[in-house]
Amino acid sequence: MTVRLPHSEAEAAEMIRAVGSGSVRLCGGDSRSTTGAADALSSRALTGIVRHEPVDRTICVRAGTPVSDVEQLLRLSGQCLAFEPPHVDEKSTIGAVAATNSSGPRRPFAGAARDALLGLRMVTGQGEVVATGSKVLKNVAGLDLTKVVAGSRGSLALITEVIFKVMPLPETEKTLAMRGLSANSFPARIAEAMHSGAPITAATHLAAPVAARMDLDTEPIALLRLEGFDAAVAGGARRLRPDFEPIMHRDSARLWRAIRDCEPYSTDRNDVVWRIATSPATAGGLAQSLAETEAETIIDWRGGLITARHADPDAANDVVALLAGARSATARLLRGPPAAAPRRRLSAGLADLTCRLKQVLDPLNVFDTGPFFDGTTV
């Protein structure tokens, strides 16, 4: 496989125009890909901070800049990316975060990467450079196109530069746990906790094997993170007792980084891992059904996301069949053989909109659409 590395936006546009009627897969650090065309075009050489406005709480960065570099700079100003993007590995880039709408445990409480994305620069399938959005919070010019490209997984345009809004680092944080809570009961119990007024910024459920691997418990466990001012966090923790008790002798920030990056699933590279977007109303039942196939689960986003792992690739068909019948869930293969990838199904209306966007931004089908849309409708 050939990987092309443009060192400027103009060079990237020239390379895309040169593809002609062929096909190229867009990537950043290439840490999220499970399939794609023979040739790739990477933004990882487009690096650097364009500007950081701590007072305005915005940052403009070239797409190939490592996520870790962006976060390190923001920490110096006491700031962070509110959606806490997962670090797939050390090659993860900020442009790939925007292209995949990649968001961590804080997403249901502070918004997704797409919500924090104020603007971007990109190169279309015809080699045209387009700028959308604005560097200031109050300007919404070009907002719709910005949101469309965010999460399109390189199927519509090559992102070369992004502008994100940022937030102050929380003054303190504390992790609370409810031990022995089943996956079925988790969404409802978290909904009750939300009515306490505690400053909850993450809510996760770990199946028993996952909790054991993290040295937390031998039973299923529900975790809450409280963040904010010291008094607010302490008061919230009091209101949630005795159901939720503080986890002692553990680094709270380190624990949530492990959940964000799915570290419990990082030890065996021969397993199969899926990322399943669902709803709190159905997450518990789906997690229970996955457990019956001997899959392990991490429920995040208050029930909006399930990350499932199966240790036996030969048994993955059971999970694929289950996900195919889950009408309220959209699954994507994170790791494993291509045969374990669930087919993406779109409604007729959404499929039509997707095709029209593709026709406008990439009419020659230069960019590989495999990870985004396979044409299947429901």
Side-chain angles (χ1 to χ4, degrees), residues 174-181 190 204 206 216-217 220-226 240-248 255-256:
K174 183 186 292 289
T175 299
L176 310 179
M178 177 183 284
R179 303 177 189 277
L181 184 69
I190 295 306
T204 295
L206 307 178
L216 290 170
D217 209 320
I221 188 171
L223 301 175
L224 292 181
R225 181 180 61 191
L226 309 186
L240 290 168
R241 290 174 180 163
D243 292 337
F244 287 90
E245 293 291 344
I247 288 186
M248 308 301 292
L255 174 63
W256 285 99

PDB file of all heavy atoms in Angstrom, residues 174-181 190 204 206 216-217 220-226 240-248 255-256:
ATOM      1  N   LYS A 174     -13.784  13.455  41.217  1.00  0.00           N
ATOM      2  CA  LYS A 174     -13.916  12.320  42.127  1.00  0.00           C
ATOM      3  C   LYS A 174     -14.700  11.233  41.412  1.00  0.00           C
ATOM      4  O   LYS A 174     -15.642  11.515  40.675  1.00  0.00           O
ATOM      5  CB  LYS A 174     -14.636  12.740  43.414  1.00  0.00           C
ATOM      6  CG  LYS A 174     -14.761  11.633  44.464  1.00  0.00           C
ATOM      7  CD  LYS A 174     -15.609  12.094  45.642  1.00  0.00           C
ATOM      8  CE  LYS A 174     -14.914  13.173  46.447  1.00  0.00           C
ATOM      9  NZ  LYS A 174     -13.765  12.642  47.221  1.00  0.00           N
ATOM     10  N   THR A 175     -14.299   9.981  41.625  1.00  0.00           N
ATOM     11  CA  THR A 175     -14.997   8.838  41.034  1.00  0.00           C
ATOM     12  C   THR A 175     -15.754   8.080  42.107  1.00  0.00           C
ATOM     13  O   THR A 175     -15.206   7.757  43.161  1.00  0.00           O
ATOM     14  CB  THR A 175     -14.005   7.894  40.332  1.00  0.00           C
ATOM     15  OG1 THR A 175     -13.344   8.592  39.275  1.00  0.00           O
ATOM     16  CG2 THR A 175     -14.734   6.691  39.749  1.00  0.00           C
ATOM     17  N   LEU A 176     -17.034   7.803  41.827  1.00  0.00           N
ATOM     18  CA  LEU A 176     -17.895   7.045  42.726  1.00  0.00           C
ATOM     19  C   LEU A 176     -18.287   5.732  42.047  1.00  0.00           C
ATOM     20  O   LEU A 176     -18.338   5.660  40.810  1.00  0.00           O
ATOM     21  CB  LEU A 176     -19.160   7.829  43.069  1.00  0.00           C
ATOM     22  CG  LEU A 176     -18.982   9.267  43.555  1.00  0.00           C
ATOM     23  CD1 LEU A 176     -20.351   9.889  43.822  1.00  0.00           C
ATOM     24  CD2 LEU A 176     -18.125   9.321  44.799  1.00  0.00           C
ATOM     25  N   ALA A 177     -18.590   4.723  42.843  1.00  0.00           N
ATOM     26  CA  ALA A 177     -18.913   3.412  42.287  1.00  0.00           C
ATOM     27  C   ALA A 177     -20.131   2.804  42.953  1.00  0.00           C
ATOM     28  O   ALA A 177     -20.351   2.975  44.156  1.00  0.00           O
ATOM     29  CB  ALA A 177     -17.719   2.465  42.447  1.00  0.00           C
ATOM     30  N   MET A 178     -20.934   2.100  42.157  1.00  0.00           N
ATOM     31  CA  MET A 178     -21.988   1.231  42.673  1.00  0.00           C
ATOM     32  C   MET A 178     -21.641  -0.184  42.220  1.00  0.00           C
ATOM     33  O   MET A 178     -21.618  -0.466  41.013  1.00  0.00           O
ATOM     34  CB  MET A 178     -23.366   1.635  42.153  1.00  0.00           C
ATOM     35  CG  MET A 178     -24.473   0.676  42.620  1.00  0.00           C
ATOM     36  SD  MET A 178     -26.113   1.065  41.955  1.00  0.00           S
ATOM     37  CE  MET A 178     -26.558   2.467  42.963  1.00  0.00           C
ATOM     38  N   ARG A 179     -21.378  -1.051  43.143  1.00  0.00           N
ATOM     39  CA  ARG A 179     -20.918  -2.402  42.840  1.00  0.00           C
ATOM     40  C   ARG A 179     -22.099  -3.363  42.705  1.00  0.00           C
ATOM     41  O   ARG A 179     -23.086  -3.261  43.415  1.00  0.00           O
ATOM     42  CB  ARG A 179     -19.942  -2.876  43.916  1.00  0.00           C
ATOM     43  CG  ARG A 179     -18.757  -1.937  44.076  1.00  0.00           C
ATOM     44  CD  ARG A 179     -17.802  -2.347  45.187  1.00  0.00           C
ATOM     45  NE  ARG A 179     -16.807  -1.297  45.421  1.00  0.00           N
ATOM     46  CZ  ARG A 179     -15.690  -1.146  44.708  1.00  0.00           C
ATOM     47  NH1 ARG A 179     -15.434  -1.989  43.727  1.00  0.00           N
ATOM     48  NH2 ARG A 179     -14.845  -0.172  44.984  1.00  0.00           N
ATOM     49  N   GLY A 180     -21.962  -4.308  41.771  1.00  0.00           N
ATOM     50  CA  GLY A 180     -22.981  -5.336  41.590  1.00  0.00           C
ATOM     51  C   GLY A 180     -24.170  -4.913  40.762  1.00  0.00           C
ATOM     52  O   GLY A 180     -25.140  -5.677  40.639  1.00  0.00           O
ATOM     53  N   LEU A 181     -24.157  -3.719  40.177  1.00  0.00           N
ATOM     54  CA  LEU A 181     -25.283  -3.242  39.377  1.00  0.00           C
ATOM     55  C   LEU A 181     -25.267  -3.926  38.010  1.00  0.00           C
ATOM     56  O   LEU A 181     -24.250  -3.942  37.328  1.00  0.00           O
ATOM     57  CB  LEU A 181     -25.200  -1.727  39.206  1.00  0.00           C
ATOM     58  CG  LEU A 181     -26.369  -1.062  38.478  1.00  0.00           C
ATOM     59  CD1 LEU A 181     -27.629  -1.120  39.346  1.00  0.00           C
ATOM     60  CD2 LEU A 181     -26.046   0.388  38.119  1.00  0.00           C
ATOM     61  N   ILE A 190     -28.671   5.446  36.524  1.00  0.00           N
ATOM     62  CA  ILE A 190     -27.927   6.669  36.223  1.00  0.00           C
ATOM     63  C   ILE A 190     -28.895   7.832  36.013  1.00  0.00           C
ATOM     64  O   ILE A 190     -28.611   8.971  36.405  1.00  0.00           O
ATOM     65  CB  ILE A 190     -27.037   6.459  34.983  1.00  0.00           C
ATOM     66  CG1 ILE A 190     -25.954   5.420  35.282  1.00  0.00           C
ATOM     67  CG2 ILE A 190     -26.392   7.774  34.555  1.00  0.00           C
ATOM     68  CD1 ILE A 190     -25.110   5.718  36.506  1.00  0.00           C
ATOM     69  N   THR A 204     -20.385   5.239  33.462  1.00  0.00           N
ATOM     70  CA  THR A 204     -19.936   4.052  32.738  1.00  0.00           C
ATOM     71  C   THR A 204     -20.279   2.790  33.523  1.00  0.00           C
ATOM     72  O   THR A 204     -20.280   2.795  34.756  1.00  0.00           O
ATOM     73  CB  THR A 204     -18.409   4.121  32.517  1.00  0.00           C
ATOM     74  OG1 THR A 204     -18.122   5.216  31.652  1.00  0.00           O
ATOM     75  CG2 THR A 204     -17.873   2.852  31.886  1.00  0.00           C
ATOM     76  N   LEU A 206     -19.115  -1.315  33.704  1.00  0.00           N
ATOM     77  CA  LEU A 206     -18.132  -2.318  33.286  1.00  0.00           C
ATOM     78  C   LEU A 206     -18.667  -3.705  33.620  1.00  0.00           C
ATOM     79  O   LEU A 206     -19.074  -3.969  34.754  1.00  0.00           O
ATOM     80  CB  LEU A 206     -16.801  -2.109  34.016  1.00  0.00           C
ATOM     81  CG  LEU A 206     -16.175  -0.711  33.955  1.00  0.00           C
ATOM     82  CD1 LEU A 206     -14.889  -0.676  34.769  1.00  0.00           C
ATOM     83  CD2 LEU A 206     -15.911  -0.293  32.520  1.00  0.00           C
ATOM     84  N   LEU A 216     -10.817  -3.528  39.772  1.00  0.00           N
ATOM     85  CA  LEU A 216     -11.840  -2.754  40.473  1.00  0.00           C
ATOM     86  C   LEU A 216     -12.771  -3.638  41.280  1.00  0.00           C
ATOM     87  O   LEU A 216     -13.192  -3.280  42.380  1.00  0.00           O
ATOM     88  CB  LEU A 216     -12.652  -1.929  39.472  1.00  0.00           C
ATOM     89  CG  LEU A 216     -11.939  -0.759  38.811  1.00  0.00           C
ATOM     90  CD1 LEU A 216     -12.786  -0.197  37.684  1.00  0.00           C
ATOM     91  CD2 LEU A 216     -11.615   0.331  39.831  1.00  0.00           C
ATOM     92  N   ASP A 217     -13.144  -4.797  40.727  1.00  0.00           N
ATOM     93  CA  ASP A 217     -14.094  -5.677  41.395  1.00  0.00           C
ATOM     94  C   ASP A 217     -14.166  -6.978  40.614  1.00  0.00           C
ATOM     95  O   ASP A 217     -13.652  -7.080  39.488  1.00  0.00           O
ATOM     96  CB  ASP A 217     -15.484  -5.029  41.453  1.00  0.00           C
ATOM     97  CG  ASP A 217     -16.290  -5.483  42.662  1.00  0.00           C
ATOM     98  OD1 ASP A 217     -16.219  -6.686  42.994  1.00  0.00           O
ATOM     99  OD2 ASP A 217     -16.965  -4.643  43.271  1.00  0.00           O
ATOM    100  N   PRO A 220     -19.974  -6.860  38.222  1.00  0.00           N
ATOM    101  CA  PRO A 220     -20.200  -5.660  37.407  1.00  0.00           C
ATOM    102  C   PRO A 220     -20.157  -4.424  38.287  1.00  0.00           C
ATOM    103  O   PRO A 220     -20.515  -4.464  39.469  1.00  0.00           O
ATOM    104  CB  PRO A 220     -21.609  -5.885  36.835  1.00  0.00           C
ATOM    105  CG  PRO A 220     -21.852  -7.346  36.953  1.00  0.00           C
ATOM    106  CD  PRO A 220     -21.090  -7.811  38.149  1.00  0.00           C
ATOM    107  N   ILE A 221     -19.745  -3.311  37.712  1.00  0.00           N
ATOM    108  CA  ILE A 221     -19.610  -2.091  38.508  1.00  0.00           C
ATOM    109  C   ILE A 221     -20.013  -0.884  37.664  1.00  0.00           C
ATOM    110  O   ILE A 221     -19.706  -0.815  36.470  1.00  0.00           O
ATOM    111  CB  ILE A 221     -18.163  -1.940  39.033  1.00  0.00           C
ATOM    112  CG1 ILE A 221     -18.045  -0.784  40.017  1.00  0.00           C
ATOM    113  CG2 ILE A 221     -17.170  -1.803  37.892  1.00  0.00           C
ATOM    114  CD1 ILE A 221     -16.707  -0.731  40.726  1.00  0.00           C
ATOM    115  N   ALA A 222     -20.739   0.039  38.275  1.00  0.00           N
ATOM    116  CA  ALA A 222     -21.098   1.308  37.635  1.00  0.00           C
ATOM    117  C   ALA A 222     -20.233   2.406  38.233  1.00  0.00           C
ATOM    118  O   ALA A 222     -20.038   2.463  39.450  1.00  0.00           O
ATOM    119  CB  ALA A 222     -22.573   1.621  37.849  1.00  0.00           C
ATOM    120  N   LEU A 223     -19.720   3.270  37.374  1.00  0.00           N
ATOM    121  CA  LEU A 223     -18.828   4.347  37.798  1.00  0.00           C
ATOM    122  C   LEU A 223     -19.410   5.690  37.402  1.00  0.00           C
ATOM    123  O   LEU A 223     -19.931   5.858  36.293  1.00  0.00           O
ATOM    124  CB  LEU A 223     -17.449   4.188  37.160  1.00  0.00           C
ATOM    125  CG  LEU A 223     -16.683   2.892  37.456  1.00  0.00           C
ATOM    126  CD1 LEU A 223     -15.399   2.842  36.641  1.00  0.00           C
ATOM    127  CD2 LEU A 223     -16.377   2.780  38.936  1.00  0.00           C
ATOM    128  N   LEU A 224     -19.323   6.649  38.320  1.00  0.00           N
ATOM    129  CA  LEU A 224     -19.686   8.036  38.041  1.00  0.00           C
ATOM    130  C   LEU A 224     -18.467   8.925  38.278  1.00  0.00           C
ATOM    131  O   LEU A 224     -17.722   8.705  39.230  1.00  0.00           O
ATOM    132  CB  LEU A 224     -20.811   8.518  38.964  1.00  0.00           C
ATOM    133  CG  LEU A 224     -22.195   7.910  38.815  1.00  0.00           C
ATOM    134  CD1 LEU A 224     -23.142   8.551  39.822  1.00  0.00           C
ATOM    135  CD2 LEU A 224     -22.721   8.103  37.398  1.00  0.00           C
ATOM    136  N   ARG A 225     -18.293   9.914  37.438  1.00  0.00           N
ATOM    137  CA  ARG A 225     -17.255  10.921  37.681  1.00  0.00           C
ATOM    138  C   ARG A 225     -17.925  12.253  37.969  1.00  0.00           C
ATOM    139  O   ARG A 225     -18.815  12.690  37.234  1.00  0.00           O
ATOM    140  CB  ARG A 225     -16.337  11.062  36.463  1.00  0.00           C
ATOM    141  CG  ARG A 225     -15.209  12.088  36.676  1.00  0.00           C
ATOM    142  CD  ARG A 225     -14.321  12.200  35.448  1.00  0.00           C
ATOM    143  NE  ARG A 225     -15.066  12.655  34.280  1.00  0.00           N
ATOM    144  CZ  ARG A 225     -14.584  12.629  33.040  1.00  0.00           C
ATOM    145  NH1 ARG A 225     -13.382  12.145  32.812  1.00  0.00           N
ATOM    146  NH2 ARG A 225     -15.329  13.052  32.031  1.00  0.00           N
ATOM    147  N   LEU A 226     -17.503  12.888  39.053  1.00  0.00           N
ATOM    148  CA  LEU A 226     -17.950  14.236  39.387  1.00  0.00           C
ATOM    149  C   LEU A 226     -16.790  15.189  39.131  1.00  0.00           C
ATOM    150  O   LEU A 226     -15.648  14.915  39.520  1.00  0.00           O
ATOM    151  CB  LEU A 226     -18.380  14.318  40.848  1.00  0.00           C
ATOM    152  CG  LEU A 226     -19.376  13.274  41.364  1.00  0.00           C
ATOM    153  CD1 LEU A 226     -19.786  13.612  42.793  1.00  0.00           C
ATOM    154  CD2 LEU A 226     -20.590  13.175  40.461  1.00  0.00           C
ATOM    155  N   LEU A 240     -25.193  11.504  46.655  1.00  0.00           N
ATOM    156  CA  LEU A 240     -25.272  10.215  45.971  1.00  0.00           C
ATOM    157  C   LEU A 240     -25.011   9.018  46.887  1.00  0.00           C
ATOM    158  O   LEU A 240     -25.216   7.877  46.489  1.00  0.00           O
ATOM    159  CB  LEU A 240     -24.275  10.188  44.807  1.00  0.00           C
ATOM    160  CG  LEU A 240     -24.642  11.096  43.621  1.00  0.00           C
ATOM    161  CD1 LEU A 240     -23.477  11.241  42.671  1.00  0.00           C
ATOM    162  CD2 LEU A 240     -25.870  10.551  42.891  1.00  0.00           C
ATOM    163  N   ARG A 241     -24.540   9.269  48.096  1.00  0.00           N
ATOM    164  CA  ARG A 241     -24.363   8.181  49.051  1.00  0.00           C
ATOM    165  C   ARG A 241     -25.716   7.788  49.645  1.00  0.00           C
ATOM    166  O   ARG A 241     -26.619   8.615  49.712  1.00  0.00           O
ATOM    167  CB  ARG A 241     -23.402   8.624  50.181  1.00  0.00           C
ATOM    168  CG  ARG A 241     -21.961   8.774  49.728  1.00  0.00           C
ATOM    169  CD  ARG A 241     -21.121   9.335  50.843  1.00  0.00           C
ATOM    170  NE  ARG A 241     -19.720   9.489  50.430  1.00  0.00           N
ATOM    171  CZ  ARG A 241     -18.830  10.241  51.054  1.00  0.00           C
ATOM    172  NH1 ARG A 241     -19.181  10.914  52.134  1.00  0.00           N
ATOM    173  NH2 ARG A 241     -17.590  10.320  50.621  1.00  0.00           N
ATOM    174  N   PRO A 242     -25.893   6.523  50.079  1.00  0.00           N
ATOM    175  CA  PRO A 242     -24.893   5.453  50.168  1.00  0.00           C
ATOM    176  C   PRO A 242     -24.819   4.575  48.926  1.00  0.00           C
ATOM    177  O   PRO A 242     -24.022   3.643  48.870  1.00  0.00           O
ATOM    178  CB  PRO A 242     -25.383   4.638  51.358  1.00  0.00           C
ATOM    179  CG  PRO A 242     -26.878   4.743  51.243  1.00  0.00           C
ATOM    180  CD  PRO A 242     -27.149   6.141  50.735  1.00  0.00           C
ATOM    181  N   ASP A 243     -25.687   4.862  47.900  1.00  0.00           N
ATOM    182  CA  ASP A 243     -25.685   3.990  46.717  1.00  0.00           C
ATOM    183  C   ASP A 243     -24.348   4.024  45.990  1.00  0.00           C
ATOM    184  O   ASP A 243     -23.848   2.995  45.542  1.00  0.00           O
ATOM    185  CB  ASP A 243     -26.803   4.410  45.764  1.00  0.00           C
ATOM    186  CG  ASP A 243     -28.182   4.142  46.342  1.00  0.00           C
ATOM    187  OD1 ASP A 243     -28.269   3.270  47.227  1.00  0.00           O
ATOM    188  OD2 ASP A 243     -29.148   4.790  45.922  1.00  0.00           O
ATOM    189  N   PHE A 244     -23.789   5.221  45.854  1.00  0.00           N
ATOM    190  CA  PHE A 244     -22.491   5.382  45.197  1.00  0.00           C
ATOM    191  C   PHE A 244     -21.469   5.810  46.237  1.00  0.00           C
ATOM    192  O   PHE A 244     -21.659   6.815  46.919  1.00  0.00           O
ATOM    193  CB  PHE A 244     -22.571   6.429  44.085  1.00  0.00           C
ATOM    194  CG  PHE A 244     -23.320   5.969  42.866  1.00  0.00           C
ATOM    195  CD1 PHE A 244     -24.696   6.175  42.766  1.00  0.00           C
ATOM    196  CD2 PHE A 244     -22.661   5.333  41.824  1.00  0.00           C
ATOM    197  CE1 PHE A 244     -25.394   5.759  41.647  1.00  0.00           C
ATOM    198  CE2 PHE A 244     -23.351   4.915  40.700  1.00  0.00           C
ATOM    199  CZ  PHE A 244     -24.718   5.125  40.604  1.00  0.00           C
ATOM    200  N   GLU A 245     -20.394   5.054  46.338  1.00  0.00           N
ATOM    201  CA  GLU A 245     -19.336   5.345  47.291  1.00  0.00           C
ATOM    202  C   GLU A 245     -18.049   5.693  46.557  1.00  0.00           C
ATOM    203  O   GLU A 245     -17.776   5.147  45.478  1.00  0.00           O
ATOM    204  CB  GLU A 245     -19.088   4.148  48.211  1.00  0.00           C
ATOM    205  CG  GLU A 245     -20.239   3.837  49.158  1.00  0.00           C
ATOM    206  CD  GLU A 245     -20.415   4.903  50.231  1.00  0.00           C
ATOM    207  OE1 GLU A 245     -19.472   5.704  50.430  1.00  0.00           O
ATOM    208  OE2 GLU A 245     -21.479   4.931  50.873  1.00  0.00           O
ATOM    209  N   PRO A 246     -17.229   6.588  47.113  1.00  0.00           N
ATOM    210  CA  PRO A 246     -15.966   6.945  46.446  1.00  0.00           C
ATOM    211  C   PRO A 246     -15.046   5.739  46.300  1.00  0.00           C
ATOM    212  O   PRO A 246     -14.994   4.860  47.163  1.00  0.00           O
ATOM    213  CB  PRO A 246     -15.359   7.992  47.384  1.00  0.00           C
ATOM    214  CG  PRO A 246     -16.501   8.506  48.192  1.00  0.00           C
ATOM    215  CD  PRO A 246     -17.457   7.359  48.341  1.00  0.00           C
ATOM    216  N   ILE A 247     -14.345   5.698  45.171  1.00  0.00           N
ATOM    217  CA  ILE A 247     -13.295   4.692  44.977  1.00  0.00           C
ATOM    218  C   ILE A 247     -12.031   5.227  45.629  1.00  0.00           C
ATOM    219  O   ILE A 247     -11.550   6.307  45.283  1.00  0.00           O
ATOM    220  CB  ILE A 247     -13.066   4.410  43.484  1.00  0.00           C
ATOM    221  CG1 ILE A 247     -14.244   3.620  42.927  1.00  0.00           C
ATOM    222  CG2 ILE A 247     -11.779   3.644  43.266  1.00  0.00           C
ATOM    223  CD1 ILE A 247     -14.067   3.171  41.504  1.00  0.00           C
ATOM    224  N   MET A 248     -11.502   4.484  46.548  1.00  0.00           N
ATOM    225  CA  MET A 248     -10.338   4.935  47.300  1.00  0.00           C
ATOM    226  C   MET A 248      -9.053   4.390  46.682  1.00  0.00           C
ATOM    227  O   MET A 248      -9.040   3.345  46.042  1.00  0.00           O
ATOM    228  CB  MET A 248     -10.453   4.472  48.759  1.00  0.00           C
ATOM    229  CG  MET A 248     -11.783   4.839  49.430  1.00  0.00           C
ATOM    230  SD  MET A 248     -12.097   6.621  49.454  1.00  0.00           S
ATOM    231  CE  MET A 248     -10.815   7.140  50.602  1.00  0.00           C
ATOM    232  N   LEU A 255      -7.882   6.532  35.835  1.00  0.00           N
ATOM    233  CA  LEU A 255      -8.945   5.556  35.631  1.00  0.00           C
ATOM    234  C   LEU A 255      -9.808   5.917  34.432  1.00  0.00           C
ATOM    235  O   LEU A 255     -10.109   5.052  33.582  1.00  0.00           O
ATOM    236  CB  LEU A 255      -9.802   5.466  36.895  1.00  0.00           C
ATOM    237  CG  LEU A 255     -11.054   4.585  36.823  1.00  0.00           C
ATOM    238  CD1 LEU A 255     -10.683   3.138  36.562  1.00  0.00           C
ATOM    239  CD2 LEU A 255     -11.863   4.714  38.108  1.00  0.00           C
ATOM    240  N   TRP A 256     -10.178   7.183  34.311  1.00  0.00           N
ATOM    241  CA  TRP A 256     -11.053   7.583  33.209  1.00  0.00           C
ATOM    242  C   TRP A 256     -10.308   7.650  31.880  1.00  0.00           C
ATOM    243  O   TRP A 256     -10.916   7.475  30.821  1.00  0.00           O
ATOM    244  CB  TRP A 256     -11.747   8.901  33.538  1.00  0.00           C
ATOM    245  CG  TRP A 256     -12.823   8.663  34.541  1.00  0.00           C
ATOM    246  CD1 TRP A 256     -12.761   8.875  35.899  1.00  0.00           C
ATOM    247  CD2 TRP A 256     -14.110   8.099  34.298  1.00  0.00           C
ATOM    248  NE1 TRP A 256     -13.922   8.475  36.506  1.00  0.00           N
ATOM    249  CE2 TRP A 256     -14.771   7.994  35.559  1.00  0.00           C
ATOM    250  CE3 TRP A 256     -14.768   7.664  33.151  1.00  0.00           C
ATOM    251  CZ2 TRP A 256     -16.061   7.482  35.678  1.00  0.00           C
ATOM    252  CZ3 TRP A 256     -16.056   7.148  33.273  1.00  0.00           C
ATOM    253  CH2 TRP A 256     -16.681   7.068  34.514  1.00  0.00           C
TER     254      TRP A 256
END
